[in-house]
C-alpha cells in the first residue's frame, strides 16, 4: 500500500477522539478533502485501531494520554463493542446480520476472521462469536430442548449484470433464492453442514474461505442457521401427545467488495435511508437487482438486527475509497430495523408458558429446598436439644461430685494452711534466733579479727625483736669467739707463766704486775660469758612465748571458722524454710482461685445446664 518513492506510506485520515477527518494529499495533508461528503465523519461508534509506524513511542503515548479514545483497539475490543450487545436478542430467537464492507486492503477479512493462521491471540469477530454461541445456548438449554447448528457459505462472483452464487461448501449448479415461511429468504440448493461444536464450524468455514480470502474484490457470506426445538405438554388436552415446536433463526456474517462499483447496493441503501428518514416513506429498496441484496433482502426490509462494520485505510492511497466508505457508513447509520421472530404465535405462547412453568418449577424447587433446609435445621436443633439435656444431666452429676471433692479438698487445704502457718511462725522464731546468733557471731568475728590483727601486729613486733636479738646473739657469739680465742691464748700464756714461775721461782715485781693484769683480763672475760649466755636464753624464752601466742591465734581463727560454718548452715536452713513457706502460700492462693472460678461457673451457668468441673 505504499508508493515506490516513499519508505512508508503517509496517513491521510486523522482521528481526534470524536471524528475522522480525511486530509487532502494535494494540499500537503494540511486541509480536509473538500469533495468528500462525510468529512469530517462524526460518530460515537468509531473504533480506532491504527498504529502509525512513523510515530515515535513518546508521541504515541502523548496522544493516548490526551484522549483515551485514541488508544488502538484490539480484536477483542471490537468484538465486545460490536457483537456482544446483540447476544441477548439472538438467544431469544431474533435473527441478525453482521456486514463488513470497505475497499481492498482495509482489513475486512482480518476483522471478520483474524489473521490467515486464525491464531487464538488475534481471532476475529466470527470465530469469537461461534465460541460464545455454543457456550451461551448450552447454558440456556433445558432438558426438553434440543439445539441444531448448521453452517452455509456462499460467494457472489461476476459483474453486476452477470452475478451468480457459488457454494463454497459443496459445488452445486442449481442455487435459487426463495422466501420461506419458517426461515425467511434462503438460498435453496446450498449445502448446510451440521456441526456439533464450535470447532467443527470454525474448521469448515476456515477450509471454505481460504481460497476466497486471496481474491481482494470478493463478496461472500457465512450463515449460521439455529434451530431450537422444544417438546411441550399439550395444554389443551393433557392426555394427548406432547407438542414439538421449533424456532428458527439465522446469524450471517458478510464481507462486501468495493462499494464504488456496487451500484445496486448503493441504490438499496439510498432508498432505505429515504424511507427511514421520512424523505420518501413509500420508497422501496430494489433488492431483486443483485444477488447479495436478493439473498439478504431482510437487511433493507427492517426484519433483522443489522450491524455494519465499515473498514477504512488511513493511508492516502485509499483516500477515494475511504471517502466512499465513510459516506456509506453515515447512510447505513440512518437505517432503522424492527426485527421479528420467525415462528408462529402458538410457539411463542407455548414458549412463554413453558418459561413461566419452568420458573414456577424452579420457585417450587427452591421453596422445597428451603423447607428441607428448615426441616434439617429443626431436626438438628432437636438433636442438639436432646444431646444438651443428656449432657446437662451428666454435667450436673459431675458438678455435684466436683462440689463434694472441692469441699473435701478445701478442708484439707485449710488444715494444711493452718499447719503451714504454724510451721511458718516456728520458722520465723527460729529465724529470729538465728539472726540474733548471726549478729552475735558477726560481733565475735569482728572482735576476733581485730584481736587477730593485734596479735599479728604483736607477732610482727616480736619477730622484729627476735631478729634484733638474733643479730645481737650472733654479734655476741662473734665477740665471744674472739674472747674465747683470747681466753685460750691467755690460758696458754697462764700455763706458760705457771711453768715459768715454777721455773723461775720468785719473779721480779715487773713480771708480777704483768701477770696480775693478765689475770684480771681473764677474770673479766670469764665474767662476761655467763651474761651473754643468759641473754641468749632470755631471747629463746621470748621466742617460745611468741610461738605459743601464735598457736593461740590459730586456735581462735579455727574457732571463728567453725562458728561461720554453723551460721551458714543455719542461714541455708532458714532460706529453705522461707522457700517452702512461699511455695505453700502459692499453692493456697492457686487453690483458692480455682475454687472461686468453679464457684463462679456454677453460679453463672444458665438454667437447665451445668458446667463440668
Amino acid at each position: 500500500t505504499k508508493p515506490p518513492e516513499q519508505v512508508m506510506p503517509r496517513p491521510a485520515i486523522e482521528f481526534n477522539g470524536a471524528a475522522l477527518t480525511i486530509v487532502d494529499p494535494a494540499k500537503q495533508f494540511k486541509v480536509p478533502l473538500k469533495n468528500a461528503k462525510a468529512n469530517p465523519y462524526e460518530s460515537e461508534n468509531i473504533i480506532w485501531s491504527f498504529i502509525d509506524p512513523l510515530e515515535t513511542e513518546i508521541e504515541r503515548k502523548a496522544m493516548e494520554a490526551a484522549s483515551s479514545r485514541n488508544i488502538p483497539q484490539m480484536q477483542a475490543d471490537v468484538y465486545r463493542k460490536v457483537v456482544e450487545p446483540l447476544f441477548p436478542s439472538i438467544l431469544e430467537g431474533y435473527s441478525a446480520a453482521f456486514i463488513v464492507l470497505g475497499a481492498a486492503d482495509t482489513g475486512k477479512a482480518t476483522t471478520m476472521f483474524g489473521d490467515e493462521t486464525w491464531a487464538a491471540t488475534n481471532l476475529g469477530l466470527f470465530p469469537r462469536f461461534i465460541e460464545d454461541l455454543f457456550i451461551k445456548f448450552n447454558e440456556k438449554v433445558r432438558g426438553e430442548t434440543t439445539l441444531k447448528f448448521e453452517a452455509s457459505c456462499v460467494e457472489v462472483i461476476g459483474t453486476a449484470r452477470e452475478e451468480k452464487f457459488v457454494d463454497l461448501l459443496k459445488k452445486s449448479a442449481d442455487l435459487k433464492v426463495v422466501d420461506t415461511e419458517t426461515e425467511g429468504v434462503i438460498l435453496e440448493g446450498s449445502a448446510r453442514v451440521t456441526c456439533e461444536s464450535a470447532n467443527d464450524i470454525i474448521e469448515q468455514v476456515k477450509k471454505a474461505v481460504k481460497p476466497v480470502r486471496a481474491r481482494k474484490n470478493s463478496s461472500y457470506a457465512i450463515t449460521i442457521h439455529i434451530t431450537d426445538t422444544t417438546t411441550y405438554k399439550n395444554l389443551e388436552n393433557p392426555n394427548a401427545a406432547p407438542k414439538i415446536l421449533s424456532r428458527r433463526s439465522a446469524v450471517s456474517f458478510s464481507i462486501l467488495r468495493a462499494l464504488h462499483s456496487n451500484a445496486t447496493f448503493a441504490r438499496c441503501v439510498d432508498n432505505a435511508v429515504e424511507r427511514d428518514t421520512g424523505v420518501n416513506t413509500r420508497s422501496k429498496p430494489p433488492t431483486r437487482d443483485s444477488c447479495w441484496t436478493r439473498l439478504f433482502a431482510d437487511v433493507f426490509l427492517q426484519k433483522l438486527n443489522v450491524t455494519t462494520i465499515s473498514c477504512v485505510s488511513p493511508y492516502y492511497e485509499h483516500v477515494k475509497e475511504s471517502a466512499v466508505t465513510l459516506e456509506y457508513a453515515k447512510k447505513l447509520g440512518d437505517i432503522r430495523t424492527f426485527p421479528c421472530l420467525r415462528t408462529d404465535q402458538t410457539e411463542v405462547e407455548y414458549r412463554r408458558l413453558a418459561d413461566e412453568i419452568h420458573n414456577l418449577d424452579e420457585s417450587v424447587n427452591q421453596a422445597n429446598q428451603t423447607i428441607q433446609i428448615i426441616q434439617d435445621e429443626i431436626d438438628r436443633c432437636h438433636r442438639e436439644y436432646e444431646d444438651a439435656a443428656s449432657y446437662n444431666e451428666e454435667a450436673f452429676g459431675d458438678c455435684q461430685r466436683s462440689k463434694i471433692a472441692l469441699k473435701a479438698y478445701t478442708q484439707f487445704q485449710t488444715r494444711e494452711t493452718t499447719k503451714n502457718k504454724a510451721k511458718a511462725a516456728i520458722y520465723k522464731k527460729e529465724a529470729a534466733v538465728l539472726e540474733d546468733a548471726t549478729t552475735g557471731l558477726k560481733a565475735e568475728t569482728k572482735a576476733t579479727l581485730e584481736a587477730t590483727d593485734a596479735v599479728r601486729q604483736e607477732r610482727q613486733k616480736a619477730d622484729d625483736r627476735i631478729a634484733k636479738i638474733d643479730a645481737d646473739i650472733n654479734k655476741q657469739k662473734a665477740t665471744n669467739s674472739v674472747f674465747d680465742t683470747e681466753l685460750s691464748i691467755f690460758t696458754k700464756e697462764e700455763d706458760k707463766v705457771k711453768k715459768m714461775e715454777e721455773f723461775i721461782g720468785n719473779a721480779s715485781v715487773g713480771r708480777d704486775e704483768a701477770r696480775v693484769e693478765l689475770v684480771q683480763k681473764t677474770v673479766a672475760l670469764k665474767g662476761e660469758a655467763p651474761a651473754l649466755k643468759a641473754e641468749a636464753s632470755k631471747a629463746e624464752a621470748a621466742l617460745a612465748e611468741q610461738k605459743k601466742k601464735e598457736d593461740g591465734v590459730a586456735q581462735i581463727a579455727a574457732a571463728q571458722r567453725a562458728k561461720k560454718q554453723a551460721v551458714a548452715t543455719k542461714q541455708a536452713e532458714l532460706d529453705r524454710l522461707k522457700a517452702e513457706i512461699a511455695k505453700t502460700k502459692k499453692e493456697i492462693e492457686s487453690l483458692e482461685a480455682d475454687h472461686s472460678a468453679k464457684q463462679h461457673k456454677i453460679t453463672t451457668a444458665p438454667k437447665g445446664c451445668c458446667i463440668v468441673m
Side-chain angles (χ1 to χ4, degrees):
T1 61
K2 62 181 180 179
E5 66 273 7
Q6 285 195 359
V7 178
M8 293 296 290
R10 176 71 181 270
I13 294 181
E14 297 177 351
F15 180 52
N16 63 2
L20 293 175
T21 303
I22 304 175
V23 295
D24 192 349
K27 301 294 184 181
Q28 288 77 40
F29 302 92
K30 294 183 178 179
V31 297
L33 190 65
K34 292 184 178 180
N35 58 352
K37 294 183 179 180
N39 193 26
Y41 176 76
E42 298 181 357
S43 175
E44 293 292 330
N45 299 318
I46 297 175
I47 300 175
W48 183 260
S49 59
F50 173 64
I51 300 177
D52 190 351
L54 297 179
E55 286 181 349
T56 64
E57 186 68 20
I58 297 177
E59 292 174 342
R60 186 178 301 117
K61 288 183 178 181
M63 184 176 292
E64 292 175 1
S67 174
S68 60
R69 299 184 68 179
N70 284 352
I71 299 175
Q73 304 293 295
M74 299 295 103
Q75 293 276 41
D77 302 319
V78 178
Y79 176 77
R80 283 194 295 269
K81 293 180 180 179
V82 175
V83 180
E84 277 191 354
L86 289 180
F87 251 110
S89 63
I90 293 173
L91 294 175
E92 291 298 325
Y94 292 94
S95 297
F98 297 93
I99 305 171
V100 180
L101 51 86
D105 297 324
T106 57
K108 300 189 297 295
T110 302
T111 302
M112 180 69 77
F113 305 112
D115 56 26
E116 294 184 358
T117 63
W118 294 58
T121 56
N122 193 34
L123 287 177
L125 302 181
F126 177 76
R128 292 178 187 271
F129 168 80
I130 295 300
E131 290 178 353
D132 283 355
L133 181 70
F134 275 81
I135 293 173
K136 294 183 183 297
F137 262 103
N138 287 327
E139 288 177 352
K140 186 181 178 181
V141 71
R142 295 194 293 269
E144 64 275 11
T145 301
T146 58
L147 295 172
K148 182 180 180 181
F149 297 95
E150 298 174 303
S152 63
C153 188
V154 296
E155 181 186 13
V156 178
I157 62 174
T159 61
R161 293 183 179 181
E162 299 180 356
E163 283 185 337
K164 67 176 182 177
F165 292 107
V166 175
D167 192 343
L168 297 177
L169 294 176
K170 181 181 179 181
K171 300 301 180 182
S172 177
D174 190 11
L175 299 175
K176 183 180 179 181
V177 177
V178 296
D179 191 358
T180 63
E181 293 183 1
T182 56
E183 295 183 90
V185 179
I186 62 171
L187 185 61
E188 189 178 52
S190 62
R192 292 187 182 184
V193 179
T194 302
C195 301
E196 300 296 333
S197 66
N199 189 58
D200 291 344
I201 294 179
I202 292 173
E203 290 298 325
Q204 293 288 343
V205 173
K206 185 191 299 186
K207 186 187 299 184
V209 303
K210 184 176 181 180
V212 183
R213 292 187 65 170
R215 298 192 286 272
K216 295 184 178 180
N217 291 323
S218 176
S219 298
Y220 52 96
I222 301 100
T223 304
I224 307 301
H225 305 273
I226 306 169
T227 304
D228 182 354
T229 303
T230 306
T231 302
Y232 300 99
K233 294 180 180 180
N234 195 323
L235 301 179
E236 297 175 355
N237 185 5
N239 297 325
K243 288 189 176 183
I244 300 176
L245 301 176
S246 297
R247 181 176 65 185
R248 293 176 175 83
S249 61
V251 181
S252 63
F253 289 82
S254 302
I255 294 181
L256 299 186
R257 60 186 175 182
L259 299 177
H260 61 275
S261 61
N262 197 336
T264 302
F265 182 80
R267 289 196 303 273
C268 288
V269 171
D270 291 338
N271 290 354
V273 170
E274 289 179 359
R275 178 197 62 200
D276 294 340
T277 57
V279 175
N280 184 5
T281 56
R282 295 183 178 182
S283 178
K284 294 183 179 180
T287 57
R288 302 185 61 83
D289 293 347
S290 69
C291 289
W292 191 91
T293 55
R294 274 203 314 275
L295 182 58
F296 295 102
D298 289 345
V299 170
F300 304 100
L301 299 179
Q302 301 178 330
K303 295 181 180 180
L304 301 175
N305 280 315
V306 181
T307 302
T308 59
I309 302 98
S310 302
C311 299
V312 296
S313 171
Y315 293 124
Y316 74 90
E317 292 89 341
H318 307 100
V319 166
K320 293 182 180 180
E321 293 88 344
S322 298
V324 173
T325 302
L326 291 178
E327 181 180 352
Y328 272 102
K330 186 174 183 180
K331 290 180 180 179
L332 290 168
D334 293 331
I335 297 178
R336 300 291 177 263
T337 61
F338 303 96
C340 58
L341 291 172
R342 286 287 180 180
T343 183
D344 58 9
Q345 191 62 31
T346 302
E347 199 277 338
V348 174
E349 187 65 20
Y350 265 93
R351 186 173 293 275
R352 184 185 65 79
L353 293 174
D355 291 338
E356 289 183 3
I357 292 171
H358 179 72
N359 294 332
L360 290 173
D361 289 340
E362 289 186 349
S363 300
V364 171
N365 291 333
Q366 291 178 358
N368 291 333
Q369 291 176 0
T370 304
I371 293 171
Q372 185 63 40
I373 292 172
I374 294 173
Q375 185 62 42
D376 293 342
E377 186 68 18
I378 292 172
D379 294 341
R380 185 186 64 80
C381 293
H382 183 67
R383 289 192 300 270
E384 288 183 355
Y385 175 77
E386 291 179 349
D387 294 341
S390 175
Y391 173 78
N392 288 336
E393 291 178 0
E394 295 178 359
F396 182 75
D398 293 339
C399 182
Q400 294 297 325
R401 289 189 292 273
S402 298
K403 285 182 178 180
I404 296 171
L406 179 61
K407 184 177 181 181
Y409 184 73
T410 303
Q411 293 174 353
F412 171 76
Q413 288 297 328
T414 303
R415 291 193 299 271
E416 290 296 319
T417 302
T418 304
K419 292 179 181 179
N420 290 331
K421 287 181 179 180
K423 289 182 180 179
I426 295 171
Y427 291 155
K428 286 182 180 179
K429 292 179 181 180
E430 292 180 355
V433 173
L434 289 174
E435 287 179 359
D436 295 339
T438 302
T439 304
L441 288 173
K442 287 181 179 179
E444 290 178 4
T445 301
K446 183 177 180 181
T448 302
L449 293 175
E450 291 176 354
T452 303
D453 292 337
V455 170
R456 189 179 293 110
Q457 292 175 2
E458 290 294 331
R459 181 177 179 180
Q460 185 64 38
K461 292 179 181 179
D463 290 340
D464 293 339
R465 289 196 298 272
I466 290 169
K468 184 177 180 182
I469 292 171
D470 288 338
D472 292 340
I473 291 172
N474 292 331
K475 183 178 179 181
Q476 189 63 43
K477 285 180 179 180
T479 304
N480 291 341
S481 178
V482 174
F483 289 160
D484 288 338
T485 303
E486 291 180 356
L487 181 59
S488 180
I489 294 172
F490 290 152
T491 304
K492 289 179 181 180
E493 288 181 355
E494 185 179 359
D495 291 339
K496 287 179 180 182
V497 170
K498 286 181 178 180
K499 289 179 180 181
M500 287 177 67
E501 286 179 352
E502 291 176 356
F503 180 74
I504 297 174
N506 293 323
S508 63
V509 177
R511 289 179 181 177
D512 292 337
E513 292 177 355
R515 190 175 64 179
V516 169
E517 183 179 358
L518 181 61
V519 170
Q520 290 176 350
K521 288 182 179 181
T522 302
V523 171
L525 288 172
K526 289 180 178 180
E528 291 179 357
L532 291 173
K533 289 181 179 180
E535 191 165 350
S537 299
K538 185 177 180 181
E540 290 177 356
L543 183 61
E545 183 66 23
Q546 183 65 29
K547 187 176 180 182
K548 190 175 182 180
K549 288 182 178 181
E550 290 178 357
D551 293 339
V553 170
Q555 292 176 358
I556 292 172
Q560 291 295 332
R561 285 195 296 273
K563 289 182 178 180
K564 284 185 178 179
Q565 184 66 31
V567 170
T569 303
K570 291 183 178 181
Q571 185 64 37
E573 180 66 19
L574 180 61
D575 294 338
R576 186 185 65 78
L577 292 173
K578 287 182 178 180
E580 187 174 351
I581 291 169
K583 182 179 179 181
T584 304
K585 286 182 178 180
K586 288 183 179 180
E587 290 180 355
I588 293 169
E589 292 174 356
S590 176
L591 292 171
E592 291 176 350
D594 189 19
H595 176 67
S596 299
K598 291 180 178 180
Q599 189 65 34
H600 177 71
K601 287 183 179 180
I602 293 170
T603 55
T604 57
K607 186 176 180 181
C609 68
C610 184
I611 305 298
V612 178
M613 297 295 180

